[in-house]
Amino acid sequence: MKTALVTGSSGLIGSEMVAFLDERGWNVHGVDNNMRRDFFGEHGDTTWNLERLRTTTRSFEHHDVDIRDRPAIARIVAETKPELIVHAAAQPSHDLAASRPFDDFEVNAVGTLNLLEAARAHTPEAPFAFLSTNKVYGDAPNELELVELETRWDYADARYANGIDETMRIDATMHSLFGASKAAADLLVQEYGRYFGLPTVCFRGGCLTGPNHSGAELHGFLAYLARATRDGLAYRVFGYKGKQVRDNIHSYDVCTAIMAFAEAPRPAAVYNLGGGRENSISMLEAIARFEELFDRRLDWTYVEEPRRGDHICYISDLSRFRTDHPQWELTMQLDDMLRELARVSPAPVGS
Ligand SMILES: NC(=O)c1ccc[n+]([C@@H]2O[C@H](COP(=O)([O-])OP(=O)(O)OC[C@H]3O[C@@H](n4cnc5c(N)ncnc54)[C@H](O)[C@@H]3O)[C@@H](O)[C@H]2O)c1
C-alpha cells in the first residue's frame, strides 16, 4: 500500500486529496491543526470536514500538528516515509495577511521550508506538490489592457485570449503580504527541485472551489457567496464595479492534476492551474447566478475601494500543464460547481 502525506488535510484541497487517495487505496497521513478557525473564526472551522473524513475514509490517519513545528514535521515524514507529499496547508487569505504578518510568513514560507527539508532528508524521491497561487504574480496582471463588457472585464489583447501563462513576472509588483509569503514558498519549492533535484511542482492556483470549503468572507469566494446568499448574510463587493473576473477550478480537478504530475514528475515544475476561460466568472455574474439558484436576493453593498493588489481580470492559461500532461482534463464545468455549492451549500456555522 502506498503512503501519502497531505498537509492542510481538513481544508478544501487537502480534504479532497485525502478522499481521492484513500479511494484509490493509498494510506494517507493528514496534517492539520484547524488553524483556519484561528484565522477566520467560526466560519473557518474545519472540524466538520475532519469528522467527515474520519467517517468516510478507510486508511486515513490525522495528525493535529502545526507545520511550523519543525521537529514534529521531520518526525512525521521520517516515520511515514511518504511516496507523495501534497502540501496544501496555508494561511490562504490575501486580506488577512496584513493583520498577521508573522503568522502568515511563518505558516506559508517557513512551514513550506520545514516540509521541504523533511522531504529532502527522508523521502527525496517522493513527488512534492505545492499549492501555490496566482498571487505570486502580484498585481502585474492588472497592467494588461482591458475592455469593459456589460458584466465583466476582459483582456483587450488577443494574445491573452487563453489567459495568463507562467511567464508573467513575479517581481516589481504588489503582492500583498500573502502573495509575498507564497512567492517565497514557491521559490523555495522550485529551488528544492533545481538545486537538490527533488521532483517538486508549484501549482499556481486561480480560484479553487468545491463543497468542502469552510467559506469565510476573507477566503473562499464562491463558497462564501453561496453561504451569504443562502443565509441572508451581508456581502461586500470591493471595487472594479463588481466586474472582476476569476477562473474557478473544482477541488477534484486539482487532485487529478496533482496525480497526473505524481505519475510523471519532473523537478522544479511550475504550472498555472485554474478553470481557464470557460470556467471564469465575474462577481456580478456569480451574484446573479446564486440569486437564481437560491431564488433569493443577496444583501450586498458596493465598496468603491478595491482590495489592495486584487486582480481585475485573472484567467489561468492552462497550456503548459496540458502540454506536459495531455491526458488531464477538466471534468467540472462552472455551472456544475455553482449548482453543487448551492445544493450542498457550505457547512452550517459551528457544526
Ligand atoms: N482556495 C483558493 O481559492 C486558492 C487559490 C489559490 C491557491 N490556493 C492555495 O491552495 C492551498 C489550499 O487552499 P484551501 O483553499 O484548501 O485552504 P483551506 O484554508 O481550506 O485549507 C488549508 C488548511 O490548512 C490548515 N492550516 C493552516 N495553517 C496550518 C498550520 N500552521 N499547520 C497545519 N495546518 C494548517 C487549515 O486549518 C486548513 O484546514 C493553500 O496553499 C492556498 O494558498 C487556494
Side-chain angles (χ1 to χ4, degrees):
M1 193 184 234
K2 283 185 156 189
T3 297
L5 177 67
V6 177
T7 72
S9 48
S10 307
L12 168 73
I13 298 303
S15 65
E16 184 87 48
M17 198 73 225
V18 168
F20 185 95
L21 290 167
D22 181 81
E23 273 166 28
R24 286 156 184 78
W26 288 65
N27 176 28
V28 189
H29 291 268
V31 170
D32 200 302
N33 65 349
N34 197 19
M35 199 161 179
R36 190 172 171 90
R37 188 184 204 294
D38 181 67
F39 289 137
F40 303 118
E42 60 179 350
H43 284 171
D45 197 318
T46 56
T47 312
W48 65 275
N49 208 12
L50 172 59
E51 290 314 317
R52 184 184 64 82
L53 285 178
R54 281 195 162 128
T55 54
T56 52
T57 51
R58 283 173 295 199
S59 188
F60 165 59
E61 190 177 328
H62 178 70
H63 303 261
D64 186 355
V65 164
D66 191 323
I67 57 164
R68 292 172 297 179
D69 185 342
R70 191 170 305 153
I73 291 297
R75 184 177 37 74
I76 292 172
V77 176
E79 284 174 9
T80 60
K81 290 238 180 326
E83 287 139 293
L84 168 66
I85 297 179
V86 179
H87 176 31
Q91 187 302 100
S93 166
H94 185 82
D95 299 293
L96 189 80
S99 62
R100 300 191 50 178
F102 291 107
D103 288 342
D104 177 77
F105 195 83
E106 284 163 7
V107 172
N108 288 351
V110 184
T112 300
L113 183 58
N114 291 342
L115 272 154
L116 285 166
E117 250 317 289
R120 183 169 82 93
H122 303 294
T123 184
E125 309 293 323
F128 186 109
F130 171 59
L131 274 298
S132 184
T133 167
N134 61 20
K135 298 291 189 311
V136 301
Y137 301 122
D139 60 2
N142 291 355
E143 293 164 14
L144 300 179
E145 201 191 325
L146 299 175
V147 283
E148 184 177 353
L149 306 176
E150 199 183 329
T151 57
R152 61 160 71 194
W153 298 99
D154 203 349
Y155 305 120
D157 187 335
R159 278 179 303 166
Y160 292 96
N162 288 332
I164 289 168
D165 71 19
E166 297 80 359
T167 61
M168 174 71 55
R169 75 176 195 280
I170 70 163
D171 68 342
T173 150
M174 187 165 68
H175 292 87
S176 81
L177 294 186
F178 162 73
S181 66
K182 292 291 282 191
D186 183 303
L187 289 174
L188 283 166
V189 171
Q190 290 187 55
E191 211 51 42
Y192 271 70
R194 287 210 176 79
Y195 195 92
F196 294 121
L198 267 63
T200 65
V201 58
C202 296
F203 285 110
R204 295 178 173 166
C207 274
L208 318 180
T209 195
N212 300 320
H213 220 181
S214 306
E217 186 181 13
L218 293 182
H219 187 249
F221 155 53
L222 289 177
Y224 189 71
L225 189 57
R227 184 200 292 277
T229 314
R230 182 198 65 182
D231 293 352
L233 305 177
Y235 191 87
R236 292 179 294 172
V237 173
F238 294 90
Y240 306 140
K241 303 185 188 177
K243 297 185 179 184
Q244 50 273 58
V245 172
R246 302 286 178 265
D247 69 328
N248 302 278
I249 180 168
H250 194 276
S251 43
Y252 177 81
D253 288 337
V254 174
C255 293
T256 58
I258 291 170
M259 285 315 284
F261 175 83
E263 279 156 20
R266 62 187 75 201
V270 173
Y271 300 110
N272 287 349
L273 184 69
R277 175 168 290 277
E278 68 263 34
N279 289 336
S280 69
I281 194 166
S282 75
M283 186 59 91
L284 291 182
E285 292 162 358
I287 292 173
R289 186 65 182 124
F290 276 129
E291 286 186 337
E292 228 169 60
L293 289 169
F294 285 107
D295 194 23
R296 61 183 295 179
R297 302 304 293 243
L298 173 72
D299 170 19
W300 66 281
T301 47
Y302 181 68
V303 182
E304 200 65 48
E305 183 88 16
R307 294 183 147 129
R308 284 173 72 81
D310 202 20
H311 292 148
I312 307 171
C313 179
Y314 192 93
I315 295 174
S316 313
D317 184 338
L318 305 174
S319 308
R320 184 189 281 182
F321 190 72
R322 284 184 160 138
T323 302
D324 288 352
H325 300 281
Q327 78 285 16
W328 178 80
E329 55 192 0
L330 288 167
T331 63
M332 289 288 280
Q333 305 310 313
L334 178 70
D335 210 55
D336 298 334
M337 297 183 233
L338 300 180
R339 279 188 283 106
E340 181 184 51
L341 282 173
R343 193 174 60 247
V344 295
S345 231
V349 174
S351 68

